[in-house]
Amino acid sequence: LGGECGVFNPELLISFEKSAHLFLDPEMIKAKSEPASSASGKSAAGEFADEALLSGRTLELLEWERAKIRTLKEMSEDLIFDYDSRTDVMHFSKALPPLAEMGKEIPGFRHVLFSMPALTQEQKERILNEVLKLNRQNPKITLALTMTGASGGAESYETDIHALFENEESEEKTGYIGKMKKADEKNTN
């Protein structure tokens, strides 16, 4: 994230979520590994493997980190976004001006993006082409975008996009995170 002071690092949350299974409650592990059978006929160890339950404390810590990230997003002057390609839902920290009437959470975002009159067809194609090029070796890009604002005038944004992957070995992208900042505000902080 460029080493910028005060910028939250969502990669830490993703890393924590990936390793949360390492924080299983030791008492639960002991209880579930005993050879007793349950009503389903499975051994406790078998049910443990199926359920992969997290301890209450781990879930509390995960929710605490999510709350901190939500707060940082709200405090940021940048427009922070995250897109889940599996559900096709885009979340913004605040409403994007050309889409303000849609709010901060936009389902069906692929369709919305390509039907947005605020972007030219050329910009839409450029965004798609650049995002499709992202991979593990080159997971982020910065794009200069000009959109038609709510007042009808052109608004320029510097947009940073970072790809998220299924796991550390996979090239499968599961979504994107990033930020948008009005170009005229970029050097004022």
Side-chain angles (χ1 to χ4, degrees):
L1 297 174
E4 297 174 44
C5 183
V7 175
F8 79 97
N9 189 346
E11 293 175 21
L12 291 176
L13 178 62
I14 293 164
S15 176
F16 181 74
E17 287 175 330
K18 286 180 183 175
S19 60
H21 68 281
L22 300 174
F23 301 100
L24 292 171
D25 185 337
E27 292 300 316
M28 187 180 296
I29 292 171
K30 181 180 175 191
K32 293 285 188 171
S33 63
E34 293 173 359
S37 292
S38 69
S40 67
K42 288 186 175 182
S43 72
E47 285 189 56
F48 174 73
D50 291 344
E51 296 171 16
L53 298 173
L54 297 174
S55 72
R57 179 69 181 143
T58 302
L59 294 173
E60 287 174 22
L61 290 172
L62 182 57
E63 187 52 40
W64 174 249
E65 290 302 314
R66 286 181 176 154
K68 288 193 299 187
I69 286 177
R70 279 192 302 272
T71 301
L72 285 170
K73 283 180 175 181
E74 291 168 7
M75 291 171 45
S76 174
E77 291 180 22
D78 299 339
L79 186 132
I80 308 295
F81 62 86
D82 65 271
Y83 173 72
D84 185 335
S85 58
R86 297 168 291 193
T87 60
D88 192 22
V89 175
M90 177 70 94
H91 299 271
F92 291 101
S93 59
K94 47 192 155 211
L96 179 64
L99 301 174
E101 73 280 355
M102 298 186 85
K104 297 190 298 186
E105 181 176 311
I106 303 175
F109 189 73
R110 278 184 224 124
H111 173 73
V112 171
L113 176 67
F114 287 99
S115 62
M116 250 176 95
L119 291 169
T120 65
Q121 187 61 33
E122 180 182 310
Q123 285 184 310
K124 294 171 190 176
E125 290 172 9
R126 184 169 151 245
I127 292 168
L128 178 64
N129 290 333
E130 293 296 323
V131 164
L132 289 175
K133 290 180 194 175
L134 295 177
N135 58 44
R136 283 216 170 276
Q137 291 71 37
N138 297 301
K140 58 186 173 179
I141 56 170
T142 298
L143 299 173
L145 299 175
T146 301
M147 293 189 239
T148 306
S151 64
E155 295 179 358
S156 296
Y157 291 88
E158 181 175 286
T159 306
D160 296 319
I161 303 171
H162 193 287
L164 302 174
F165 298 91
E166 180 70 30
N167 58 50
E168 291 185 20
E169 294 83 35
S170 174
E171 283 289 332
E172 181 182 345
K173 292 178 276 216
T174 58
Y176 305 89
I177 58 172
K179 66 180 182 175
M180 296 177 74
K181 187 170 207 139
K182 282 193 176 182
D184 57 334
E185 295 175 359
K186 182 180 175 212
N187 295 319
T188 61
N189 293 336

